[in-house]
Amino acid sequence: MPLRSNFMDPGSSFFDLLRQSRSDLLPQMQIKLEGLSQAETRELKESPHGTTILALKYRDGAIIAGDRRATEGFQISSRRIEKVFKADDHSAIAIAGVAGPCIEMAKLFEVELTHYEKLEGMTLSLEGKANKLSQMVKANLPMAMQGLVVIPIFVGYDVKGGKGKIFKYDVTGGRYEETDYYATGSGGKDARSTMKRLYRAGLTEEEAIAVGLEALIDAAEEDVGTGGPDFVRGVFPTVKLAVMTGLQDVPEARIREVCQAIIDRRREVERGA
């Protein structure tokens, strides 16, 4: 008679396997608030935070972008943090919230998708990937209730449907598909206002990149937690494209050129005024 296991079969999910056999390795389990003093808890909650991220659709797919600043309380803890990560060949994830758990969740999500593909011999559908991420965000809810929030945006190219898609999430793991654009983080509201003004259906790649970067620049002007393009240090937002041929990084030189054009245009407007 075969022995019965105390665990449910995790199937093709690496995340479920970790949760059942090594829960201490999960991002949300590496931070324990029990037994901490009030001052220690406050210090933990003031750990580095990633701020503004956004995504928008365009004619050939979708773009996802984020600024590079991380804040720690009222201080800048990093000017070069990465908030946009490759998930697989056709999708990417951007993270806003407490930097440590955010980065770990993004990396774990990439492993989750790779693990599934190796075991099943096929990739998940874009909807399936979005659902997997929803489960991971939901598992972080206990930490989110303590203030250690992780909020992602997920974008990908739906090869079967022939279009880019954007998914946003709430702290409970709720997953919602956006039809045009979305932004979140401390400067998310300002970025959404800019995209609302500039967005239109059928944007070209060049136009979509310009709208995304202009939204991040506007957010940086209004929100202290969002970093704009830094021409002195050579630090610029991260931008990725999810298209039919796969996920692509927008070169830094191209991002710098678009940011410079936006700033030059604004200077001309101010001079004309």
Side-chain angles (χ1 to χ4, degrees):
M1 178 181 295
L3 295 176
R4 296 183 63 183
S5 172
N6 291 327
F7 299 101
M8 295 179 62
D9 182 4
S12 305
S13 173
F14 182 74
F15 179 72
D16 287 343
L17 178 64
L18 276 184
R19 187 162 52 181
Q20 292 178 16
S21 59
R22 289 297 305 274
S23 61
D24 58 301
L25 295 179
L26 293 175
Q28 70 272 12
M29 297 304 294
Q30 295 182 18
I31 302 173
K32 298 186 180 296
L33 297 179
E34 296 85 352
L36 296 181
S37 67
Q38 186 175 0
E40 290 172 326
T41 302
R42 183 171 60 253
E43 182 179 352
L44 182 59
K45 291 180 179 179
E46 291 181 354
S47 57
H49 281 63
T51 49
T52 308
I53 54 175
L54 60 82
L56 66 149
K57 292 183 182 180
Y58 68 104
R59 185 178 61 194
D60 300 322
I63 79 167
I64 187 166
D67 77 307
R68 303 286 297 280
R69 176 174 292 177
T71 59
E72 189 171 353
F74 295 102
Q75 303 179 64
I76 296 174
S77 63
S78 175
R79 291 182 172 87
R80 299 178 183 272
I81 192 172
E82 289 290 347
K83 305 173 188 177
V84 184
F85 302 89
K86 174 183 176 181
D88 68 2
D89 290 341
H90 283 87
S91 63
I93 177 176
I95 297 288
V98 183
C102 281
I103 293 171
E104 289 185 355
M105 182 178 290
K107 292 180 178 178
L108 181 57
F109 182 55
E110 181 181 2
V111 175
E112 170 81 359
L113 298 184
T114 302
H115 182 264
Y116 179 92
E117 183 177 353
K118 289 184 179 297
L119 287 186
E120 298 296 331
M122 58 184 292
T123 60
L124 274 169
S125 66
L126 193 60
E127 293 280 343
K129 297 171 191 176
N131 288 336
K132 285 284 187 184
L133 183 55
S134 175
Q135 295 169 8
M136 296 175 68
V137 175
K138 183 178 181 180
N140 190 64
L141 182 58
M143 292 296 99
M145 298 300 290
Q146 300 289 342
L148 303 174
V149 179
V150 175
I151 298 293
I153 297 177
F154 177 62
V155 306
Y157 190 85
D158 184 355
V159 177
K160 291 183 178 180
K163 61 181 179 179
K165 290 187 176 182
I166 301 170
F167 298 91
K168 66 178 182 180
Y169 299 82
D170 60 32
V171 294
T172 66
R175 189 214 74 180
Y176 315 94
E177 184 175 350
E178 280 292 333
T179 57
D180 297 317
Y181 58 85
Y182 185 66
T184 190
S186 62
K189 181 177 180 296
D190 301 301
R192 289 195 302 272
S193 295
T194 297
M195 288 191 288
K196 181 178 181 180
R197 175 170 51 87
L198 299 177
Y199 183 84
R200 59 179 175 79
L203 291 170
T204 66
E205 179 182 301
E206 194 67 33
E207 290 170 336
I209 292 173
V211 170
L213 290 174
E214 187 140 6
L216 286 175
I217 291 173
D218 282 346
E221 290 183 351
E222 300 297 330
D223 172 51
V224 295
T226 304
D230 189 334
F231 291 91
V232 175
R233 297 181 177 88
V235 181
F236 300 92
T238 303
V239 183
K240 295 183 185 294
L241 309 174
V243 294
M244 172 65 82
T245 54
L247 191 70
Q248 301 177 7
D249 292 315
V250 178
E252 184 178 287
R254 186 178 180 187
I255 295 172
R256 181 184 189 123
E257 181 181 344
V258 176
C259 289
Q260 186 67 65
I262 292 170
I263 292 172
D264 289 344
R265 186 179 71 248
R266 294 186 178 190
R267 284 174 178 165
E268 289 298 323
V269 172
E270 289 180 359
R271 288 170 183 167

